[in-house]
Amino acid sequence: MRGKVVCFGEVMLRLSAPGAEVLLQSARLDARIGGAEANAGVSLARFGHDVRMVSFVPDNPLGRTVVAELRRQGLDVGGVRTAPGRLGLYFLTPAAGLRPAEVLYDRADSAFAMADPDAIDWAAELEGADWLHVSGVTPAVGPGAAEAALKAVRAARVKGLTVSFDGNYRKSLWDLWPTDGAAILADIVAAADLFIGDDRDVALILGHDFPQTDPMERRRAAAEAAFTGFPQLSRVASTHRVVYGADRHGLAGFLADRDGHWTAPPLEVTGIVDRIGAGDAFAAGLIHGLRTEMAPQAALDFALAAAALKHSIYGDFNLVDVSDVEALLAGGGDVKR
Amino acid sequence: MRGKVVCFGEVMLRLSAPGAEVLLQSARLDARIGGAEANAGVSLARFGHDVRMVSFVPDNPLGRTVVAELRRQGLDVGGVRTAPGRLGLYFLTPAAGLRPAEVLYDRADSAFAMADPDAIDWAAELEGADWLHVSGVTPAVGPGAAEAALKAVRAARVKGLTVSFDGNYRKSLWDLWPTDGAAILADIVAAADLFIGDDRDVALILGHDFPQTDPMERRRAAAEAAFTGFPQLSRVASTHRVVYGADRHGLAGFLADRDGHWTAPPLEVTGIVDRIGAGDAFAAGLIHGLRTEMAPQAALDFALAAAALKHSIYGDFNLVDVSDVEALLAGGGDVKR
Amino acid sequence: MRGKVVCFGEVMLRLSAPGAEVLLQSARLDARIGGAEANAGVSLARFGHDVRMVSFVPDNPLGRTVVAELRRQGLDVGGVRTAPGRLGLYFLTPAAGLRPAEVLYDRADSAFAMADPDAIDWAAELEGADWLHVSGVTPAVGPGAAEAALKAVRAARVKGLTVSFDGNYRKSLWDLWPTDGAAILADIVAAADLFIGDDRDVALILGHDFPQTDPMERRRAAAEAAFTGFPQLSRVASTHRVVYGADRHGLAGFLADRDGHWTAPPLEVTGIVDRIGAGDAFAAGLIHGLRTEMAPQAALDFALAAAALKHSIYGDFNLVDVSDVEALLAGGGDVKR
Amino acid sequence: MRGKVVCFGEVMLRLSAPGAEVLLQSARLDARIGGAEANAGVSLARFGHDVRMVSFVPDNPLGRTVVAELRRQGLDVGGVRTAPGRLGLYFLTPAAGLRPAEVLYDRADSAFAMADPDAIDWAAELEGADWLHVSGVTPAVGPGAAEAALKAVRAARVKGLTVSFDGNYRKSLWDLWPTDGAAILADIVAAADLFIGDDRDVALILGHDFPQTDPMERRRAAAEAAFTGFPQLSRVASTHRVVYGADRHGLAGFLADRDGHWTAPPLEVTGIVDRIGAGDAFAAGLIHGLRTEMAPQAALDFALAAAALKHSIYGDFNLVDVSDVEALLAGGGDVKR
Amino acid sequence: MRGKVVCFGEVMLRLSAPGAEVLLQSARLDARIGGAEANAGVSLARFGHDVRMVSFVPDNPLGRTVVAELRRQGLDVGGVRTAPGRLGLYFLTPAAGLRPAEVLYDRADSAFAMADPDAIDWAAELEGADWLHVSGVTPAVGPGAAEAALKAVRAARVKGLTVSFDGNYRKSLWDLWPTDGAAILADIVAAADLFIGDDRDVALILGHDFPQTDPMERRRAAAEAAFTGFPQLSRVASTHRVVYGADRHGLAGFLADRDGHWTAPPLEVTGIVDRIGAGDAFAAGLIHGLRTEMAPQAALDFALAAAALKHSIYGDFNLVDVSDVEALLAGGGDVKR
Amino acid sequence: MRGKVVCFGEVMLRLSAPGAEVLLQSARLDARIGGAEANAGVSLARFGHDVRMVSFVPDNPLGRTVVAELRRQGLDVGGVRTAPGRLGLYFLTPAAGLRPAEVLYDRADSAFAMADPDAIDWAAELEGADWLHVSGVTPAVGPGAAEAALKAVRAARVKGLTVSFDGNYRKSLWDLWPTDGAAILADIVAAADLFIGDDRDVALILGHDFPQTDPMERRRAAAEAAFTGFPQLSRVASTHRVVYGADRHGLAGFLADRDGHWTAPPLEVTGIVDRIGAGDAFAAGLIHGLRTEMAPQAALDFALAAAALKHSIYGDFNLVDVSDVEALLAGGGDVKR
């Protein structure tokens, strides 16, 4: 934890239906801020790391709200530039009962998506940092963002930073511009130390499936394939979500390095408040574990508990501290006085 | 789906405690619109049917709110008349934890209850329609409404419409005026094609019990008795609610015609948001299945899934579309992006 | 139920995060009134008992809000005095998912904590009463309060009232002033007829542990030890909370007198709305049972059902009536119309 | 202030649109409690008087809310009986800009309107009281209520209480039952000491107009006519509302006894929060002045300032204390710290 | 009022800060629907006219909300098509004290702006209509919309409909695409019967200023120039907003035809709730007056009163009826019971 | 604007009644952050200055909320230490109509009030700063705070910073500890360059009154006396609040240096949203003017306009930018699009 963690990605305004309502059932929206890399960054800041956000927002009240909120959460916002375009939005109908959550993206032509990939001098931007985190959402939003993401991870590699990449593959996202998403993802993974992705992500990138029945076996096979395909890659991790029932999920974890692999058995997650951002919370938990030199099993357990706790927090950000995660790992409890 | 579905019944203002509060614990009420037939009508409109509401409301801001809300939900409100009297209200304390929901009716002397049974020329009103839906709540609210309901179903039969009748027997409702509820219900069932009612409804109407232990066996016996007692009746259906525990219900389905019967195994319903209107959602789902010529099992499964989804929607109306029901039947899912 | 129940203790303003938010995540707090003895008193008043609250509040709008709210709940507030100091506050982050509830006390230097122990003429104050209820929170908040609590229970004993004492031991509370909490608690138990406390409370007071594995066995051993140590004590009771899973607790009950002991098997409590005050609800339920001369098992069952229902009510107060408890004991139900 | 003030009248649930919305523009209603005599009673209780409310409410959660709210406000609710029927409601759209407030009554067939006039033993009910207050709304709601009001004022006269009667004539109210409202009002005024009514009220009761141009002259002439027509009447008072502009009212006051008359010049009332209940606040202020033996001018000034302050309070009740009224009379001020 | 009024324009989701907050000061937005032509259409529907909305919305929950809300307000939504693209949004910070309201448009690339101008067969769309209303916002949002607006007004002229055009010139809007706004506006005015625009609008279109000092003189001169420049134009109207002070506006009206001109003196508008949509309310009021064959002065007075009332209504829509406008014209009043 | 502005003072949690309610009329409080020096600091940060806050907060969620909120507003929070004690609170009932706002302080024993005056190494803390701002509230809260304030201003003087001191004398505040407030204030003014205080502040400090009738004359005389009494003082400034009527204030400004004096005529402030913090907004506006080397009249005008705008912003902080102030100075306007 000597240096800073730099997170690069789009930050959006999230507009969600209040309570268990469907979108615009009543005339009110809850407004929050979120985005895959910012979510991970906020969590890392709460875990005690110096985090610098790099992004583009419009020079208007919405963009300024994003900056203010990131500042509130303790991020260094010196790397958030203004640029022409809109602020990306997403509308969220939270899950309720047997009804799944629903996300409606409204992020086309955002300041981030349209930003000039050369607007950032990455050598300067990464000064003082020892870690770079990006996700697969970033290259998906537009060609400029894809090019910028590649420049970022390559510059990080040159400077000797650790690079973590959260695949985060979502088919609907890649409709925003016509390209070969798998190839771009492969280019980024090629520059990464830690790849957060499951067998489906690896299958997409490498172009072949993993037929094992057991999900952890599939992940192990995929990790091995990834280690073969990407020589610099040192770790592969993912969660495995098991939907036991409507309101009750199980969340298991997987981590592999070139010497072995570790699994964390499913944590039962009930009374879900907000499932959005759980993957980012896992990424942040894992990065925290690795940066604080936890043993692999401990790092994985910490990451999984952090992700499980995220389900209890409203909004994209995982507003919990190390002590909250540790308390859950120690068995949870009744009222904390 | 060539013609319209006509729904006849009272529409009320529902005033409920917000969140998990008890009634008037804090100084606020959530105001929604509902009523058995309107609930079914709104669901049918979302499923793609042309639905015409026939009702009576007072000529005041409350009555106009009812009309506006039905219009918002896509119903043809040309059949909603104004009449002297109040708007019927009901106060709702939602269920929470081990505490059951509580309904307090305040619908005496409503414009609907006091309406002149001759105010509607049913032959004209049913023009262009091929389906009429009424529920057992309608005759319960007053003698005029009872007479109007009978006139409606008889006119519908004369004109060759399909008539569905949802028994909806609730003891407390029939206290509104002194009469023989069972006899009136029998007269309406006598004019119906589809009767939605379980063995208790049939027992009440026919005057003898069904002693079978298994709930589906009781329903089958009751359906057979109903088919015997009411020669024109072609289908009998019902749900079977199993309270596994405080916050977790099971909802099973039953459908019989003169050739056979079908059952749908219990769907586990957890994280219940609002249980009111689930029966109306079942009725709408079944009517949709029958009108779109689904096979009996498919229609029953669709109706049960629709009813189960209703538990996830705040308010009386089942604000889901055919695609939502189909997604649940296909296995549900995590976040829909 | 000839006489009044007098409750003596601090009443606070509780400020809690709305919904499932963490404290001050958004710029709003829900404000409620609560305190161990007032919570029990409100519940007893709803169960039909005459209840007089004795307390100290500041002479400002916050103190007046406390008085008004107790009055609203049907308590005789003639014994609530004004005194210099602040109103005690506590900030609450409700539990959600895997995240436990969190209480932050801000009650130092409250009017209650700083009140003169001689400000109350207990002989006069207890006139017309046949029951006094205090909890272990009261002596914890300060030396004056501790002295007043002792004076109260001793005066009650002299006048022949039944004295109930709810141990309510919370380590963090006793940090408010430097003293030997166990000794003070022992002095109060020595004057009590009914002690609500489990084996940990008894162990603390008597200074030796109860090593039995089975929780009910430990409670029985502790009750026997308490009966030995405190000659006037006639009953010992407690709940046993079993955390089956994150969102699902079990609540069992224990009651002993000098002739025997009774247990109530765990009630499964799900869909928890607000867990605060459940212990006070148990105390009130038990006092109600004893004052209405229920048999021990019936009194214990009633108390446990009352405590279980509390989890479904927002706020500290258990806003349920005898009929609600009886309905749960009779099996609960679906919608109550 | 030796004895109690008894207030007799209906208490309703008021359901109003939040903020500046029109009724049911959004799906929420603010719920408050109000009614002419209760409003005056609450204000008197805050001014330090012992106030006993006599009324009828239904035995349901709505009726219990009324009782609890009156208790919260410090009234003795021992005289509030339960009776068959509904709780009277009224729906309020608050005024905004150039748009006047709008009240929609829904009080037909209320427990109060349908109560048996012989249900109250007035001799017993008035024990310990030295003042009775009723308003013209009470006899308007139904024949039983009218008879009860007459019995009340006559019993009060027999027992030597001071009787105040606030005319409160509203044409729309007297449509609830067919009768000669003027004759009933005259019967009540005949038993009153203090009549709060302007020249229009007196004209209605006595059957002749007051043609003077100046509003205070008209009031003086009307007062003289009233003193002539009703031998026992000792005081007549009223306000005079001057609508200077849309959002700015002037409120003047008038008081006469058999020896003279006094006027209070218009107070400018701006930034109006809630105009409902201002007349009741005037009545309470005047009764307070008379009961505390203020000189006539001082009593009138106090009453007018109390009424003016009511416009700043949300809800029917005038939640201000004597010190607030005195501060306004002393010139108001900036922030009070 | 034999035929329908057709309104053609974009309908947006308006997201505004609640109360007097600045945008996103707290984490909530109020969501309403609005757009110049829809606003006028809703007002006309409330005034009793048959109104058909023609527009384009995306086929997603936001587009469906627009349709549902227009339906709720009583519009025929048969002419609202779905098309690719986003739903146009605008963010609103309401005015407060000395702080002006602030609108942030986010409507680029909306379904309406990108719609194919040939998607509508105007001859068919205008069947049954006798009036077409469009505003200057419509051609501003994009070239397709501009072309569609021209096709609409020309088709209306061919079919003999009355065409009203509300200039609504806003400089910031015409930045959305590069064009000569004045020329397009002139083409539309050339096809209009009623042009709502003041001297600045006419100056822009005709290219010369009106130097008169008196605002009504300027309007008269501009109207004369417009009548000269556009031979088919029969009426020109506008409001004149006078900002007397921060919270107090005056709103005057002007109407001219080829035979004369009329003015309505300033109405003082205080306690402003929501100023957005006042111009559309004026347009609707004037169209109502003309369609119901009011004399010019009466139509102008009605329009001005309608616009003044709009300031008291939250949201874009003027939720008042003819009776409300008439009551204001008759002098307003205190509480309406 | 080369260096930082350092602000030293307590930051509190402000809990206010929502809307126009009285405190705890309903069960909700709005929670904001505020404090005289933080308010000025936030405003300065929005005006483009680098601002460092120095304060003490408890190490709990409330203290962390303060830090997060200051960070959100753009302040450097590196100088905010944690210390034992509570977070100071204040409860606010906003003004409404004729009812003045009411502040209830609950700040005794706060972490700030109890902080060790030697905890801050002022020489280090002021490094990189060229301006120090404190207010008279700081020494009032306790002896440690008073000593710390003196140390701060003396260290600032030694280092050559400009020192601004806002007198902010409030009698109720100085009750928190027994001392000679005037002497302490004098010691601080003795070290200040800019004193914000009117003739009452100067009179208190110097011990003699200013008898002039005209408020600006009194201010001039007081400024002259202050310049005489405090040799290093270079500027004296104040506002003059004129309460024209209940809902309408006038705000005038005064500024003097040793060469002359300037006045700004009253700005009419209507539609007041929140009056708290207006004085701090004036201080920030003036400091901004002086730091950007505006001429005295321009600086005073800017400060007064900033203070006037504050009345339109909810909360303690003046959330306006330089462009908003300049727009008001340029004449304000209607909707800003």
Side-chain angles (χ1 to χ4, degrees), chain C residues 13 15 23-24 26-32 60-62 65 86-87 89 91 102 104 106 108-109, chain F residues 13 15 23-24 26-32 60-62 65 86-87 89 91 102 104 106 108-109:
Chain C
L13 181 64
L15 298 169
L23 196 63
L24 293 172
S26 68
R28 181 184 148 187
L29 291 168
D30 283 342
R32 306 278 158 163
N60 67 22
L62 303 182
T65 297
R86 337 167 28 234
L87 184 72
L89 309 176
F91 292 86
E102 190 168 347
L104 173 68
D106 182 19
D109 299 327
Chain F
L13 181 64
L15 299 169
L23 197 63
L24 293 171
S26 69
R28 181 184 149 187
L29 290 169
D30 283 340
R32 305 278 157 162
N60 67 21
L62 302 183
T65 297
R86 337 165 32 232
L87 184 72
L89 309 176
F91 292 86
E102 190 168 347
L104 173 67
D106 182 18
D109 299 329

Side-chain angles (χ1 to χ4, degrees), chain B residues 279-294:
Chain B
D280 307 319
F282 176 79
L286 190 57
I287 295 169
H288 171 73
L290 298 175
R291 280 173 65 80
T292 57
E293 300 185 358
M294 292 183 188

